[in-house]
Amino acid sequence: MTENLVEGLYYAGEPIADTKAPAGPIENIWSTRKFEARLVNPANRRKLDVIVVGTGLAGGAGAASLGEMGYNVKAFFYQDSARRAHSIAAQGGINAAKNYKNDNDSTYRLFYDTIKGGDYRSRESNVYRLAEVSANIIDQCVAQGVPFAREYGGLLDNRSFGGVQVSRTFYARGQTGQQLLIGAYQALMRQVKAGTVKAYSRHEMVELIVVDGKARGIIARDMVTGEIETHLADAVVLGTGGYGNVFFLSTNAMGCNGSAIWRAHRKGAYFGNPCYTQIHPTCIPQSGTSQSKLTLMSESLRNDGRIWVPKKAEDCDKDPRDIPEEDRDYYLERIYPAFGNLVPRDIASRQAKNMCDEGRGVGPMLDGMRRSVYLDFADAIERLGKDAVSAKYGNLFDMYKQITAEDPYEVPMRIYPAVHFTMGGLWVDYDLQSSIPGLFVTGEANFSDHGANRLGASALMQGLSDGYFVLPNTINDYLADGPFEKLSEDHPEVAKTRQSVEDRMNFFVNNDGNRSADSYHKELGHIMWEYCGMERTDEGLRYAIGEIRKLRKDFWENIRVPGEAAELNQSLEKAGRVADFLELGELMCIDALHREESCGGHFRAESQTEEGEALRDDKNYAYVAAWEWNGEDAAPILHKEDLNYEFVEMKQRSYK
């Protein structure tokens, strides 16, 4: 393969030709695939075992659905309760094409908006399916008792989110994720009570078991006792969320990590589009250098809040209430009059960065720059009244006040972009099966639905779509080959996998180093944010790759993990996760470097229009980059899945 080495960074591999999506009109593809997929009769389901890792919306809904169907399910989650999955933190809403507002919404319009919002870098068949089943999700959740907001007459209410010109977002004030997760949790616990699902709390997957090329189980660590456990099954489902914490500072919970999907990648699962990162424009700004977590303010606030900065840099240290209207620059409304403050997240984020880079940011100085813009509700309060604004956003306003000690009813909020969601993830086919047979990947853990930028309120939609409606229909086709050969823990491949985990744990606790995992994580995050964040350059990415390689070498020489492996040891947990982040971060930079175009959240400074907008190169980069692990310190292998658009015309995005 030496002749296929590209610039010393990666090898050119074979293209991906088949995604299992049937041919034909796009509105028929999902129904055709469901009919063509083989079934497993109810009696045989009782003989088949499925492991589900992660119990957020995708994993929890998937485990509950598979349990209801009669499979034997083991559900693993590292929290003390499945209710604590990070899906609970989602605030603003969930999309569905029900056209309740009579504003000409439709399944096709949701499909089109998602394709366009992702800058034409997602797979048509998957996105249309997502739009198609969206309405079913709302009906399912209402039946579970999810308390969506309602209008005066009792009908479900909708609001708008970025990147669209219709109102299709269902919500429960600013705590939609919490309410949806409780619904999925109830369904999951019903199956636990029925005995079809066995729940393993405080367990972390630390390795994937692959036997004869198929996923056959996981190695998990009991996070309370430190015990290493082997769990075998006929198929494995990963619903473990995204890898945004590779940046250290993000809106993710501190425990969120990419280890489950990265361990699967090392075992042969292709990693799709790792460089595609969602930067969210409405985050509470960083307040100091010792901060370890950022807090999201829902994108729904952009429905009524107006974003602005002073027109003159000398006004930036003034009280915003003292800056007259004529001296304010409502820059999103000025640059993008058709969409205004509801442009997609990648565009709103870059423009906020541009304003601050021009010296017109607000708030306190941090590293020599003011890194905030205003999100102002004065007009909305005057137009609607304080009570109406509070009814929509009250808990978000309360949260902001508690964190910043500023009252957004009286003064504008201050916001700045932050890492939020990752569009990349393990590559999956139309059935949500990875390149490892028997390994299925759902929700944010896979790459499939969002392209280069995720529209707001679509994460919850994808998680529940995958868990309730897609996976239960597609995993049957694989499990129909069962019953599979039963494995024992002393099978050579199983024992070898377990031994590799024990060796890694023992190395960490016995290495005589002098640096904590947190210190490496923070240094990695700084490299990633500066050189693979909102703006990327050829020079910066090459520098980042070199710095990450040096940092990883130092990590394996100088990591120090206090305590023992066979006990509750959070430092050990962090060390394993940071080790994976160091490898993942390098692949993200390689992917960003090889893609010499701008698209969505991937903004290469060398590829932009005269107006500073992202400039795609459809001739050379209209494909999914699916990366194959090639061994320690070896260049990865790039497989390309061409993106052929039959039902949407590819064109330069415009929100003006």
Side-chain angles (χ1 to χ4, degrees), residues 365-371:
M365 287 285 187
L366 185 65
D367 295 332
M369 182 182 291
R370 301 182 193 273
R371 301 178 188 271

Side-chain angles (χ1 to χ4, degrees), residues 260-533:
I261 57 175
W262 189 253
R263 304 317 295 181
H265 173 63
R266 288 173 58 101
K267 286 297 184 78
Y270 293 174
F271 208 114
N273 298 333
C275 79
Y276 289 162
T277 305
Q278 175 89 91
I279 309 294
H280 199 295
T282 54
C283 178
I284 296 179
Q286 182 181 355
S287 60
T289 56
S290 61
Q291 194 167 343
S292 58
K293 168 84 174 69
L294 296 173
T295 302
L296 176 72
M297 299 306 295
S298 170
E299 182 178 320
S300 64
L301 295 169
R302 292 199 275 151
N303 272 278
D304 291 302
R306 301 180 69 192
I307 297 172
W308 63 277
V309 292
K311 289 182 178 178
K312 297 176 289 188
E314 55 266 30
D315 288 343
C316 291
D317 58 354
K318 289 183 178 179
D319 186 314
R321 293 167 293 187
D322 294 336
I323 301 175
E325 192 74 14
E326 62 271 18
D327 290 336
R328 301 180 180 189
D329 181 8
Y330 296 92
Y331 57 89
L332 292 179
E333 299 172 31
R334 169 174 56 83
I335 302 172
Y336 308 100
F339 284 74
N341 294 298
L342 286 173
V343 293
R345 292 175 174 179
D346 59 316
I347 292 174
S349 294
R350 276 199 299 276
Q351 290 297 349
K353 178 182 184 296
N354 290 342
M355 296 302 114
C356 293
D357 288 348
E358 288 178 11
R360 294 195 287 144
V362 298
M365 287 285 187
L366 185 65
D367 295 332
M369 182 182 291
R370 301 182 193 273
R371 301 178 188 271
S372 310
V373 299
Y374 289 127
L375 178 60
D376 196 337
F377 283 85
D379 284 358
I381 292 171
E382 182 177 348
R383 182 178 75 254
L384 303 172
K386 182 176 178 180
D387 290 345
V389 172
S390 178
K392 287 184 177 181
Y393 313 113
N395 61 309
L396 297 171
F397 278 42
D398 293 343
M399 183 171 69
Y400 182 88
K401 184 177 180 180
Q402 290 176 18
I403 292 172
T404 66
E406 297 175 358
D407 186 351
Y409 292 108
E410 302 296 331
V411 296
M413 291 183 179
R414 289 184 298 105
I415 57 170
Y416 193 71
V419 172
H420 177 55
F421 186 95
T422 48
M423 281 76 65
L426 292 187
W427 180 90
V428 292
D429 61 20
Y430 190 66
D431 286 356
L432 303 185
Q433 186 170 210
S434 74
S435 53
I436 300 176
L439 178 66
F440 292 78
V441 191
T442 61
E444 191 181 356
N446 75 38
F447 88 101
S448 65
D449 290 2
H450 304 297
N453 174 65
R454 179 174 69 79
L455 291 182
S458 288
L460 305 184
M461 178 172 61
Q462 184 201 359
L464 292 180
S465 167
D466 287 355
Y468 283 138
F469 299 105
V470 180
L471 178 72
N473 281 294
T474 59
I475 198 172
N476 296 324
D477 189 67
Y478 176 80
L479 293 174
D481 287 329
F484 300 86
E485 174 193 0
K486 293 299 179 183
L487 299 178
S488 64
E489 293 189 18
D490 58 3
H491 184 284
E493 278 301 315
V494 177
K496 179 182 176 183
T497 303
R498 180 185 177 115
Q499 187 61 52
S500 71
V501 169
E502 293 176 347
D503 291 345
R504 191 164 76 246
M505 300 295 174
N506 289 331
F507 167 81
F508 282 135
V509 296
N510 292 320
N511 192 55
D512 187 23
N514 55 21
R515 286 190 62 178
S516 68
D518 278 334
S519 71
Y520 285 105
H521 192 184
K522 189 171 185 178
E523 189 171 342
L524 171 66
H526 177 76
I527 295 169
M528 295 299 298
W529 179 247
E530 291 298 320
Y531 302 105
C532 197

Side-chain angles (χ1 to χ4, degrees), residues 48-52 66 71-76 196 232-237 438 440 471 475 479:
L48 294 166
D49 303 323
V50 180
I51 285 173
V52 178
L66 296 175
Y71 292 111
N72 302 309
V73 179
K74 291 182 177 180
F76 292 82
T196 62
L232 302 170
D234 300 303
V236 176
V237 179
F440 292 78
L471 178 72
I475 198 172
L479 293 174

